Amino acid sequence: MSKSLVRKSLQGFRPYMPGEQPPDGEGWVKLNTNESPLPPSPRVIEAIKAAANDSLRLYPSPTAASAREAIARRFGLDPAQVTVGNGGDELIDLCFRAFVDAGDRVAFPTPTYPLFEPLCRIHEATPSPHPTELPWELPPSLAPDPASLKLIANPNSPTGAFFVTQEVEAVVGASSGIVAIDEAYVDFAPHSCLPLLEHHENVLLLRTFSKSYGLAGLRIGFALGPADLIEAIDSVKDSYNVDRLAIAAAVAAIEDEEHHRNLVSEVVKNRGNLAGALADLGFDLVPSSANFVFAKPPKPAAEVVAGLRERKILVRHYDREPIAGWIRITVGTREQQESLLAALKEIVS
Amino acid sequence: MSKSLVRKSLQGFRPYMPGEQPPDGEGWVKLNTNESPLPPSPRVIEAIKAAANDSLRLYPSPTAASAREAIARRFGLDPAQVTVGNGGDELIDLCFRAFVDAGDRVAFPTPTYPLFEPLCRIHEATPSPHPTELPWELPPSLAPDPASLKLIANPNSPTGAFFVTQEVEAVVGASSGIVAIDEAYVDFAPHSCLPLLEHHENVLLLRTFSKSYGLAGLRIGFALGPADLIEAIDSVKDSYNVDRLAIAAAVAAIEDEEHHRNLVSEVVKNRGNLAGALADLGFDLVPSSANFVFAKPPKPAAEVVAGLRERKILVRHYDREPIAGWIRITVGTREQQESLLAALKEIVS
């Protein structure tokens, strides 16, 4: 290993590990990466097939213009307040590229999305974690932190906790740097922080088509924010970061509001059923505003996860405090949840 | 403008500007961004349509496993020696992320791909340009440069110059850091630097499906190199940087060797015709090993470019020394080249 060729600041680096993706069609019940249990809109599939033609020889629009316009229309914004990324993860990364110099502080509540910390390493930023305890509310120490960038996943993952707009606004108002609100799960929550854009110049909302649009396989995210911050992000992104098929899919997805509404409402209904059934099995739960539930089984989490795995059921477990006793379970279809609950009954009783 | 929110090290930053992408189907002759004049393989279109299904609700393989395997088979390598990116540009960026600390030197001959310099700014690296003159050969000063990363576009753009393997190997052998050879255009050149992988631990080859596979619209590139360098790149990439449709397309594209061969051979034939006709019109030319020609018109380049633009023909012009007098023209179809040559005849005579 020519380890000396790797950057010095990445020696000993532990990258973010995504949840396991078993090969398709092998009968797994996959409740570990918060994908949608329901498929994308049929209009998205049609749009992709229509775009799969000889024009693929040409680069996409560097601004993903049609997708920006469709998203802007949907949220009542100007297209200059929207940019599109290769998944929400790319947009988080672009916030570092645009707003964080080497040595700058990046603050976030913990536990949270485990990508934030490795991104600090990659960008030579100083992570400034703000630990929270049950019930995982927004920590008061976050607002006065002088970080260049604050990252707030809202709803948060893996906890599913939702921070109301007023609390987030208090952080935004007290911050001299950027506050990026990762709203990947917000469609399953009571409301978005979108109104903050009207009154604040330092706030960005990051969204994704991966969850509530059923398009994790396509990698499309978007950011909403003041035009000058969007311009800063655009200046540091790859020229053609979103491909022609993803652009076509994004337009079709955002325009099929009925499919989106139905998908969200089915997930919210199933979330309620799942939470109720887990409580009946003796799990501790915090209320979830996302497309997953975070629950503490009455037996050691690692044991429960292993038992599920034997039965080809995948859930997510972060083996670190203060959440080592908890597991995160994606809301599934009714059938998936019945399989899960039957397995859990065997494992915990 | 809340300019103070942008990173200090990006104040005054001039981002890379990609060539103009006019809206489709408006009758432009587009010879400015080195896209393939011929479409991708019909098998690629079929593969995309087959993959456009409900499984898009699931994340792609984080390793793009099937694409890695197909590419490895094609080049007689192990899959651990291959990684896949969201276009070749992402792979260049990932070389910075994996191998360049803030303050490190990044060396490259100039003129070259104008993305390298802004990437240095973004990653707080010190650019170490090595100027070349006509006929744009590899500068002797490059080999002893103590840079952490050297970037060699081979064939080079916009010059079209090709550096033979022996010369490149001299640089690789003299370098303590990584040498990344951007082989985006190599399929149109006499040979690849692939054999260097057998004898050197510090060399990476970057490739793309955008040019010789006719897939600029899809954003797929790949890197070939020693397994430990590939692992380092993988550790800093987004988890799901290549989507399901792109993975399916990459596999189909790499496996349709006949389509690829025919595409390359048509482009090489048209390149010869174009170069000959331009010489007849009084253009200066250097031999090109890429899918474009770099030519100095007998009139000021800006004037020629403007005249072409009036006629809805786009070519690329970099208005800076030592290449301000030159234009880069993508090899087109026979029909496109006839339109171009007819227009040039009017403009330069």
Side-chain angles (χ1 to χ4, degrees):
Chain A
M1 285 279 283
S2 42
K3 272 291 175 209
S4 64
L5 293 171
V6 175
R7 295 165 57 179
K8 279 189 198 66
S9 56
L10 286 188
Q11 306 288 335
F13 175 61
R14 290 178 55 193
Y16 171 68
M17 294 297 291
E20 184 176 354
Q21 295 291 335
D24 295 349
E26 290 192 15
W28 288 86
V29 176
K30 193 169 176 309
L31 302 174
N32 65 332
T33 55
N34 300 343
E35 289 139 333
S36 167
L38 301 172
S41 159
R43 286 166 60 181
V44 169
I45 306 294
E46 279 164 39
I48 292 167
K49 288 181 176 168
N53 59 43
D54 288 355
S55 71
L56 288 178
R57 75 176 183 84
L58 299 169
Y59 281 107
S61 157
T63 57
S66 57
R68 271 182 215 233
E69 286 157 18
I71 293 164
R73 270 195 304 277
R74 171 72 182 72
F75 293 98
L77 299 171
D78 189 274
Q81 293 175 280
V82 181
T83 189
V84 185
N86 186 39
D89 285 352
E90 188 189 39
L91 291 161
I92 299 170
D93 188 69
L94 289 171
C95 285
F96 280 82
R97 281 168 82 110
F99 307 118
V100 180
D101 271 324
D104 280 3
R105 283 167 78 93
V106 174
F108 42 85
T110 62
T112 192
Y113 187 23
L115 178 63
F116 297 162
E117 190 129 3
L119 283 179
C120 287
R121 281 294 294 276
I122 289 172
H123 293 279
E124 300 185 45
T126 305
S128 174
H130 292 258
T132 59
E133 300 284 334
L134 258 174
W136 326 108
E137 286 170 355
L138 213 51
S141 57
L142 186 63
D145 190 307
S148 301
L149 174 66
K150 294 177 188 175
L151 294 163
I152 302 176
N154 194 29
N156 199 6
S157 174
T159 61
F162 180 66
F163 314 125
V164 297
T165 303
Q166 231 171 343
E167 287 176 46
V168 176
E169 185 163 25
V171 176
V172 171
S175 298
S176 56
I178 305 282
V179 180
I181 306 168
D182 181 354
E183 293 198 328
Y185 300 105
V186 81
D187 290 328
F188 309 105
H191 57 258
S192 157
C193 282
L194 191 64
L196 294 187
L197 292 188
E198 282 173 42
H199 303 293
H200 297 277
E201 293 190 341
N202 62 334
V203 68
L204 284 163
L205 307 183
L206 310 182
R207 298 284 193 96
T208 181
F209 284 89
S210 296
K211 314 294 180 185
S212 61
Y213 292 89
L215 282 171
L218 253 197
R219 323 306 307 120
I220 328 168
F222 56 100
L224 309 175
D228 60 337
L229 301 188
I230 295 295
E231 191 189 341
I233 289 176
D234 284 343
S235 76
V236 294
K237 76 175 186 66
D238 273 356
S239 308
Y240 307 106
N241 60 326
V242 180
D243 71 50
R244 283 180 172 263
L245 302 178
I247 292 171
V251 172
I254 203 93
E255 288 181 346
D256 193 348
E257 294 190 34
E258 190 186 349
H259 182 90
H260 182 243
R261 229 174 5 244
N262 292 341
L263 194 159
V264 168
S265 115
E266 176 83 5
V267 167
V268 168
K269 191 183 75 193
N270 292 2
R271 179 178 72 198
N273 295 339
L274 177 60
L278 290 171
D280 291 346
L281 285 173
F283 283 63
D284 277 346
L285 288 147
V286 281
S288 169
S289 296
N291 68 343
F292 55 83
V293 297
F294 197 51
K296 188 178 180 180
K299 284 199 170 176
E303 202 176 300
V304 174
V305 171
L308 289 173
R309 203 175 194 295
E310 277 169 24
R311 293 164 176 84
K312 298 195 99 170
I313 299 173
L314 296 175
V315 299
R316 197 84 200 252
H317 177 224
Y318 297 97
D319 196 9
R320 66 175 85 111
E321 290 308 333
I323 53 170
W326 295 68
I327 60 178
R328 193 191 68 183
I329 307 171
T330 304
V331 173
T333 59
R334 266 179 69 164
E335 297 69 32
Q336 289 175 316
Q337 297 192 170
E338 279 165 17
S339 305
L340 169 82
L341 291 165
L344 285 176
K345 223 166 270 177
E346 290 175 20
I347 295 166
V348 302
S349 66
Chain B
M1 285 281 282
S2 43
K3 272 292 176 209
S4 63
L5 293 171
V6 175
R7 296 165 56 182
K8 280 191 198 64
S9 57
L10 286 187
Q11 307 288 335
F13 174 61
R14 289 178 57 192
Y16 171 66
M17 293 298 292
E20 183 176 355
Q21 294 292 333
D24 294 350
E26 291 194 15
W28 288 86
V29 175
K30 195 170 172 310
L31 302 173
N32 65 331
T33 55
N34 299 341
E35 289 139 334
S36 167
L38 300 171
S41 159
R43 286 166 60 181
V44 169
I45 305 294
E46 278 164 39
I48 292 167
K49 288 181 176 169
N53 60 42
D54 289 354
S55 71
L56 288 178
R57 74 177 183 86
L58 299 169
Y59 281 106
S61 157
T63 58
S66 57
R68 269 182 219 236
E69 286 158 18
I71 293 165
R73 271 195 303 278
R74 170 73 182 73
F75 293 99
L77 299 172
D78 188 274
Q81 293 175 280
V82 181
T83 190
V84 185
N86 185 38
D89 285 351
E90 188 190 39
L91 291 160
I92 301 170
D93 189 69
L94 289 170
C95 286
F96 280 81
R97 280 168 83 111
F99 307 119
V100 180
D101 271 323
D104 280 4
R105 282 168 79 94
V106 174
F108 42 86
T110 62
T112 192
Y113 187 21
L115 178 64
F116 297 161
E117 189 129 6
L119 282 178
C120 288
R121 282 292 295 277
I122 289 172
H123 293 279
E124 300 184 42
T126 305
S128 173
H130 292 258
T132 60
E133 300 284 334
L134 258 174
W136 325 108
E137 286 171 355
L138 213 50
S141 57
L142 186 64
D145 190 307
S148 301
L149 174 66
K150 295 177 187 175
L151 294 163
I152 302 176
N154 193 30
N156 199 6
S157 175
T159 61
F162 181 66
F163 314 126
V164 298
T165 303
Q166 232 172 341
E167 286 175 48
V168 177
E169 185 163 25
V171 176
V172 171
S175 298
S176 55
I178 305 282
V179 181
I181 306 167
D182 181 355
E183 293 197 330
Y185 301 105
V186 82
D187 290 328
F188 310 104
H191 57 259
S192 158
C193 281
L194 192 63
L196 295 188
L197 293 188
E198 283 173 41
H199 304 292
H200 298 277
E201 294 190 339
N202 61 336
V203 69
L204 283 162
L205 306 182
L206 311 182
R207 298 284 193 99
T208 181
F209 284 90
S210 297
K211 315 293 181 187
S212 61
Y213 293 89
L215 282 170
L218 253 197
R219 321 308 306 122
I220 328 168
F222 56 101
L224 309 175
D228 60 338
L229 301 188
I230 295 295
E231 191 189 341
I233 289 176
D234 284 344
S235 76
V236 294
K237 77 174 185 65
D238 273 355
S239 308
Y240 307 106
N241 59 328
V242 181
D243 71 50
R244 283 180 173 262
L245 303 178
I247 292 171
V251 172
I254 204 94
E255 288 181 346
D256 193 348
E257 294 190 34
E258 190 186 348
H259 182 90
H260 181 242
R261 230 175 3 247
N262 291 343
L263 193 160
V264 168
S265 115
E266 175 83 5
V267 167
V268 169
K269 191 183 75 192
N270 292 3
R271 179 179 71 198
N273 294 340
L274 177 61
L278 289 172
D280 291 345
L281 284 174
F283 283 63
D284 277 347
L285 288 147
V286 281
S288 170
S289 295
N291 69 342
F292 55 84
V293 297
F294 197 51
K296 188 178 180 179
K299 284 200 171 177
E303 200 176 303
V304 173
V305 171
L308 289 172
R309 203 173 195 297
E310 277 168 25
R311 293 162 177 86
K312 298 194 97 170
I313 299 173
L314 296 176
V315 299
R316 197 87 199 249
H317 177 225
Y318 298 96
D319 195 10
R320 65 175 86 113
E321 289 310 330
I323 54 171
W326 295 68
I327 60 179
R328 193 190 70 183
I329 307 172
T330 304
V331 173
T333 59
R334 265 180 70 167
E335 296 69 30
Q336 289 176 318
Q337 296 191 170
E338 279 165 17
S339 304
L340 169 82
L341 291 164
L344 285 175
K345 222 166 271 177
E346 290 176 18
I347 295 165
V348 302
S349 65

